[in-house]
Amino acid sequence: MTDLSTMLPPALRKALDLLTDPPAEPDVSKGYLDLLNTPEDDDVAKNTGVIQAAWASTIGSFFYDNVQALSRRFIAAWQLPIDWLSIPPGGTALDVGCGPGSITAQLARAVGPDGLALGVDISEPMLARAVNSAAGSQVGFLRADAQRLPLRDQTVDAAVSIAVLQLIPDPAATLAEIARVLRPGGRLAVMVPTLRPPIDLGIKLPTGGAHLFSEDEIGDILEDHGFVSVRTKSIGQLQWVRGKLG
């Protein structure tokens, strides 16, 4: 019998060892490991809003990729705190809602040639762009739902989620999942849009299926799941939240 795992790219071969339920016949026909379309996925809430639909389209993923690249270059609010994450060389870093993979590529440089940077996303067009631009020997991508991460407990050294939690139907479930897969002492950095004064006006505006977080919402959720040294920093309507799993 052919061992299909030996036919996988090196990064996805490493990823198989971290999965809760590795598939007997891994589907990597599109360059990423597709772990969706199972009966269990029907039980997970889906975002059907217009913003998610736009980003999940081919044109939307192209637009998002380019806007994000410009934002990272010129807007301080988008700069990833790589040094703060303290990712050990040879470690494993997770990008939840990786989109076109640019942040995952930054994590890959931090883990080094012996490490693993994994990007997880639900959008096929986004993952196609990620594979095309960032896949490599220590960079792999998984198609999975962030509300039910496919990784085993305590398998990740650091995690990030950049401007995506607002599009997830149950962001608290995603943060709980990240806490589950992080090793003790592992660090998490999250960036989300927040409601700041005038809050009442913001609540009444149409959101297109996106959740707008209150100023303390993410921090409170992280503390509920065992994170310590939780810190927040708001820049305009964006907020960074950092924490270390106790």
Side-chain angles (χ1 to χ4, degrees):
M1 181 181 295
T2 302
D3 182 1
L4 293 176
S5 68
T6 64
M7 303 168 62
L8 297 176
L12 294 182
R13 197 180 311 140
K14 289 181 182 179
L16 274 185
D17 293 335
L18 306 181
L19 298 182
T20 304
D21 187 18
E25 298 184 3
D27 179 4
V28 293
S29 57
K30 298 177 182 177
Y32 52 83
L33 182 57
D34 196 335
L35 299 171
L36 284 182
N37 302 319
T38 65
E40 291 80 6
D41 297 319
D42 295 336
D43 299 331
V44 182
K46 305 295 190 298
N47 186 334
T48 58
V50 294
I51 295 177
Q52 174 63 25
W55 290 152
S57 69
T58 301
I59 294 175
S61 63
F62 171 81
F63 179 77
Y64 179 88
D65 193 1
N66 286 276
V67 168
Q68 189 190 73
L70 287 172
S71 299
R72 288 196 314 275
R73 185 171 181 180
F74 297 111
I75 302 176
W78 281 81
Q79 294 176 2
L80 182 67
I82 283 284
D83 291 341
W84 179 86
L85 287 168
S86 297
I87 305 171
T92 299
L94 179 65
D95 183 4
V96 178
C98 64
S102 49
I103 299 297
T104 322
Q106 292 184 54
L107 296 175
R109 290 190 287 272
V111 301
D114 296 325
L116 176 64
L118 283 177
V120 173
D121 208 286
I122 200 170
S123 166
E124 294 184 88
M126 286 288 192
L127 288 168
R129 296 189 67 82
V131 168
N132 185 57
S133 63
S137 59
Q138 77 262 35
V139 188
F141 295 96
L142 311 177
R143 184 167 180 252
D145 195 308
Q147 299 166 109
R148 184 178 287 167
L149 293 174
L151 304 174
R152 292 185 284 107
D153 296 357
Q154 300 184 10
T155 50
V156 173
D157 296 292
V160 300
S161 183
I162 311 301
V164 71
L165 282 176
Q166 72 275 10
L167 297 175
I168 295 174
D170 189 351
T174 296
L175 292 171
E177 280 289 274
I178 293 173
R180 178 183 64 79
V181 303
L182 272 177
R183 295 188 175 101
R187 297 188 177 194
L188 168 65
V190 172
M191 190 181 79
V192 295
T194 56
L195 280 173
R196 304 186 74 196
I199 289 177
D200 290 342
L201 176 61
I203 290 174
K204 293 174 184 177
L205 290 174
T207 63
H211 179 81
L212 295 179
F213 294 91
S214 62
E215 203 156 2
D216 297 325
E217 189 171 351
I218 294 292
D220 289 345
I221 294 171
L222 292 185
E223 290 177 346
D224 287 343
H225 288 289
F227 283 87
V228 297
S229 302
V230 175
R231 300 289 184 270
T232 64
K233 180 180 180 180
S234 294
I235 306 174
Q237 298 302 123
L238 298 176
Q239 182 187 66
W240 278 98
V241 186
R242 309 176 187 183
K244 180 172 70 173
L245 191 65

